[in-house]
Amino acid sequence: MIVDGRVLREDFVPSEVVHRHDEVNLLSEALEPLLSDRRPDPSFLFGPTGVGKTCIARYTLAQLHEQDPDVRVAYVNCWQEYTRFRVLYSLLEATGRTTDIHRSTAKDELFDRLAEGDTRPLVAILDEVDQLEETAALYDLHRLPHVSLVLIANREEELFASFDDRVRSRLHAGTRVQFDRYGTAELRSILRERATQGLEPDAVTTDQLQTIADAASGDARVGIGILRSAARRAERNGCEYVTEATIAAAIPDARTAIRRKTVEGLPDHQRVLYEIITDAGEIEPGELYEAYERRVAEPKTARTLRNYLTKMVHYDLIESVGEHRGRRYRPVADGDEGEESELPTEK
């Protein structure tokens, strides 16, 4: 039944995109100076998870690279590469310039290597940029005249709140591209494109794709995950097409798989917080911070922990209930995903 499993992956970048033409056009216009050897202002892509920010960034830059092969593109996921060293190293790696660099190499040496030698245009896509623990990396990159920035995050106010004044002043200008949740009709047509390319003809019906789109609540990651899980289940069962039963089973399977993958990718300190919340079932901030400080050798600041918790809310790992002194954190239960809780600033 599955003829091309790549198409059923959340990180697959299609040759054509649907329902994000305005966003593609806006980002393309922002990056157009690269085609005339000029440096564009930073571009910011904001929106909840699963709305196509990463896909559109990679698609748009791939199109630009086709127009001008001298424009190089480096993709960095700051969820994993969250330090200044790792960001600089990732850009050097993308440009094939990591020879003789080791963990002990000074960060300034990495910066100098980026600044020297090959100065053809380089666009750095920094995904999950609000996960950066050392925003000095952004200051470094802004100082390099041949490096342009495309920064992806959930919310603008939270991102800029994490910057120091030096970074904030330099990145204030730029193009903002806002992404909203997909409507169910939009998500259904996205799933139809994936099914057409990745599955045998007539393997899934339009009504079944509508069921999947409804269950995904505007999150393309979830919708694609359900389609993939349903197709795999049907294939294992020897079926030639997806059934309602395989879809019903795939809905919780896909959500569980996405959550497990997200948890596995958490940096150490965030994983400690998640484990404490999961073990407790529900916990208030003071107890959470105390338990966290007992478990780690070098605790992060309270502000950093609040940023971590905000990110885990965005990713449907935990939810925040109540406000101020009455606030508590608890893990998201199966079936509760899809609605982002508001996470006010601690008072």
Side-chain angles (χ1 to χ4, degrees):
M1 179 187 301
I2 299 175
V3 297
D4 189 348
R6 297 176 306 118
V7 178
L8 303 180
R9 291 173 54 94
E10 296 93 340
D11 58 359
F12 174 76
V13 179
S15 57
E16 295 293 335
V17 298
V18 293
H19 300 304
R20 288 298 189 216
H21 300 300
D22 289 344
E23 291 83 354
V24 169
N25 290 339
L26 184 54
L27 182 56
S28 298
E29 290 171 5
L31 297 172
E32 193 170 355
L34 288 164
L35 298 176
S36 52
D37 296 321
R38 293 181 292 122
R39 184 192 195 187
D41 287 331
S43 295
F44 298 90
L45 278 58
F46 294 115
T49 58
V51 295
K53 302 186 298 296
T54 303
C55 177
I56 293 307
R58 301 185 81 160
Y59 169 83
T60 304
L61 266 300
Q63 297 293 309
L64 189 143
H65 178 72
E66 283 189 10
Q67 295 179 66
D68 185 351
D70 278 342
V71 176
R72 299 164 299 164
V73 180
Y75 173 82
V76 182
N77 187 333
C78 298
W79 192 289
Q80 283 82 41
E81 317 301 337
Y82 50 84
T83 66
R84 182 185 177 208
F85 181 96
R86 292 187 183 188
V87 169
L88 295 175
Y89 183 88
S90 295
L91 297 190
L92 287 170
E93 187 175 42
T95 55
R97 301 167 64 194
T98 55
T99 305
D100 297 327
I101 291 180
H102 311 284
R103 290 187 177 182
S104 59
T105 303
K107 287 175 276 191
D108 287 344
E109 185 176 331
L110 271 66
F111 175 81
D112 290 343
R113 189 174 293 197
L114 269 176
E116 298 165 356
D118 190 349
T119 56
R120 287 178 298 161
L122 172 63
V123 181
I125 303 173
L126 301 187
D127 205 350
E128 310 285 0
V129 68
D130 45 357
Q131 286 289 94
L132 274 181
E133 293 185 2
E134 297 178 86
T135 57
L138 299 177
Y139 180 73
D140 286 340
L141 299 181
H142 192 269
R143 289 165 57 198
L144 298 172
H146 66 291
V147 175
S148 304
L149 297 174
V150 175
L151 307 179
I152 303 175
N154 294 119
R155 293 176 177 171
E156 179 173 358
E157 60 273 19
E158 290 167 2
L159 175 63
F160 276 82
S162 70
F163 293 163
D164 60 37
D165 291 340
R166 183 178 63 169
V167 173
R168 191 180 298 115
S169 65
R170 283 161 176 77
L171 298 184
H172 182 72
T175 299
R176 272 71 167 166
V177 185
Q178 183 65 44
F179 290 71
D180 298 321
R181 288 281 188 196
Y182 288 111
T184 53
E186 293 174 328
L187 192 48
R188 184 185 64 224
S189 65
I190 291 170
L191 295 172
R192 169 54 66 195
E193 289 294 321
R194 297 293 179 110
T196 299
Q197 296 179 55
L199 303 179
E200 293 282 1
D202 302 321
V204 60
T205 68
T206 298
D207 286 346
Q208 289 172 333
L209 293 176
Q210 181 66 47
T211 299
I212 294 173
D214 289 338
S217 302
D219 189 328
R221 296 177 313 147
V222 175
I224 294 166
I226 295 171
L227 178 62
R228 180 179 63 249
S229 179
R232 286 176 175 173
R233 276 181 168 271
E235 202 170 53
R236 286 198 302 269
N237 293 340
C239 300
E240 296 182 358
Y241 48 84
V242 171
T243 67
E244 278 68 22
T246 56
I247 292 175
I251 291 172
D253 279 359
R255 291 193 179 278
T256 299
I258 288 172
R259 183 183 295 120
R260 182 173 60 247
K261 182 178 179 181
T262 303
V263 170
E264 289 173 352
L266 288 175
D268 293 341
H269 289 262
Q270 293 188 42
R271 184 173 297 192
V272 169
L273 288 172
Y274 179 74
E275 290 172 351
I276 293 170
I277 295 169
T278 301
D279 291 344
E282 186 169 290
I283 190 170
E284 60 93 19
E287 294 176 13
L288 174 59
Y289 297 161
E290 290 173 4
Y292 161 78
E293 289 175 341
R294 289 194 297 270
R295 289 201 191 185
V296 301
E298 298 180 3
K300 303 291 185 180
T301 65
R303 177 178 177 178
T304 298
L305 296 187
R306 288 196 295 272
N307 290 340
Y308 289 165
L309 293 167
T310 298
K311 197 66 181 178
M312 287 191 279
V313 168
H314 290 323
Y315 270 81
D316 286 326
L317 295 179
I318 63 172
E319 59 183 347
S320 169
V321 293
E323 294 186 8
H324 310 321
R325 293 182 181 275
R327 184 178 310 133
R328 303 180 73 82
Y329 299 107
R330 63 191 183 196
V332 171
D334 288 337
D336 291 344
E337 302 91 335
E339 295 294 330
E340 282 193 6
S341 303
E342 291 296 324
L343 192 67
T345 303
E346 299 279 1
K347 300 291 186 183

